[in-house]
Amino acid sequence: MRIVVCVKHVPDLQAERSLDAAGHLVRGDDVLNELDENAVEAALELAEATGGEVVALTMGPDDAVDAVRRALQMGAASGVHVVDDRAAGSDVVGTARVLAAAVRKLGEEAPVDLVVTGMASMDGLTAMLPSALAASLELPQLTLAGRVAIDGRTVTITRTIGDADEVLAAGLPLVLSVTDQANEPRYPNFKAIMAAKKRPVAIWDLDDLSLASTGAEADGGPEVGTAGAGTVVVHAAPRPPREAGRVITDSGDAGAQLAAYLVENKLV
């Protein structure tokens, strides 16, 4: 069984972030997307149960390869890093097209049985990539899995919908996304970290994926980048600083003042 797990290098939520003069994000310390650790763990557990292998896949600038390296430290057998300036600024549609092309290219070497993702990335938080990827690959999808089981060529998941648990199943190949409730990601030890340095990481660009001339413009739409983004950022500005709150000393009428504040600001 061959499993591709998609990972993403995202800004550390605790790091300072800002915009440059052109409105581009100035990235600070980047890390493997926290929710992708659950995806890597799910892929590894399924591979261990079936005697398969895991390939870590990412798209991003040069330092995005660190996300792949982390997956290799956790136990992935190899990695692929798609890096190309022409894919900069891709939205979820463009990203899905690039990742799907990379999965198809991997499938030319050996069949890909399963594509695993996290439930969302902590930078964009659209939670749309798994579905967009499944659509690009024309594969069934099992999303937001809290539990995953495999029996032969059938994957069964359990996911929580409100107050109910929903059980879904589909045959391979398919796209699977898991939540942070699906497992407890393993922490690589020193031996695993050193072993990861010897595992191969292929570097591909859009030409390697035959995407150099694709995109919305190929269908007569506006030119939005060769990766085929479906949206364009027209403006970006720093968030205004938060205003200091008002401290009220309770002299016996704090409840009345609070009620007046809520009414004044139309919060009730």
Side-chain angles (χ1 to χ4, degrees):
M1 184 173 182
R2 196 158 183 244
I3 303 171
V4 174
V5 58
C6 298
V7 295
K8 188 176 183 182
H9 209 217
V10 300
D12 188 336
L13 293 179
Q14 305 303 319
E16 289 293 329
R17 284 168 284 176
S18 61
L19 297 175
D20 62 18
H24 298 140
L25 175 66
V26 178
R27 303 173 74 102
D29 297 327
D30 288 7
V31 296
L32 171 61
N33 180 49
E34 183 178 345
L35 296 172
D36 288 347
E37 293 185 0
N38 299 100
V40 175
E41 180 63 32
L44 292 172
E45 290 178 358
L46 289 169
E48 290 164 356
T50 59
E53 69 168 11
V54 175
V55 181
L57 168 64
T58 196
M59 166 185 143
D62 291 338
D63 59 356
V65 72
D66 289 345
V68 171
R69 293 293 182 194
R70 181 65 176 180
L72 296 179
Q73 292 172 1
M74 292 177 68
S78 61
V80 174
H81 178 201
V82 180
V83 54
D84 196 311
D85 290 342
R86 293 170 292 179
S90 294
D91 61 3
V92 66
V93 174
T95 300
R97 286 175 177 169
V98 173
L99 294 177
V103 171
R104 285 192 289 268
K105 183 174 175 64
L106 284 167
E108 295 172 359
E109 304 168 358
V112 173
D113 300 289
L114 181 63
V115 180
V116 185
T117 77
M119 62 184 289
S121 63
M122 299 304 290
D123 53 354
L125 284 174
T126 67
M128 293 171 56
L129 179 68
S131 295
L133 184 55
S136 292
L137 290 169
E138 298 183 338
L139 290 178
Q141 58 176 310
L142 295 174
T143 57
L144 300 176
R147 294 194 297 276
V148 182
I150 186 168
D151 182 8
R153 299 286 294 176
T154 300
V155 175
T156 302
I157 70 164
T158 303
R159 65 184 182 187
T160 301
I161 306 294
D163 295 329
D165 282 344
E166 185 176 51
V167 179
L168 301 172
L172 297 174
L174 60 86
V175 175
L176 167 71
S177 77
V178 298
T179 71
D180 56 350
Q181 302 301 309
N183 51 53
E184 186 67 32
R186 66 194 68 185
Y187 190 84
N189 55 31
F190 179 76
K191 182 179 179 180
I193 292 173
M194 296 305 294
K197 295 181 179 181
K198 300 179 181 179
R199 293 179 181 146
V201 177
I203 307 298
W204 295 342
D205 60 16
L206 297 186
D207 295 312
D208 294 318
L209 303 179
S210 301
L211 287 177
S213 60
T214 64
E217 66 275 14
D219 301 321
E223 184 173 346
V224 290
T226 52
T231 58
V232 176
V233 177
V234 296
H235 177 71
R239 182 172 55 189
R242 296 180 62 180
E243 298 180 0
R246 182 161 53 106
V247 178
I248 298 175
T249 302
D250 186 4
S251 57
D253 62 345
Q257 292 189 59
L258 175 59
Y261 173 85
L262 295 176
V263 172
E264 178 185 350
N265 290 276
K266 300 179 179 180
L267 298 174
V268 294

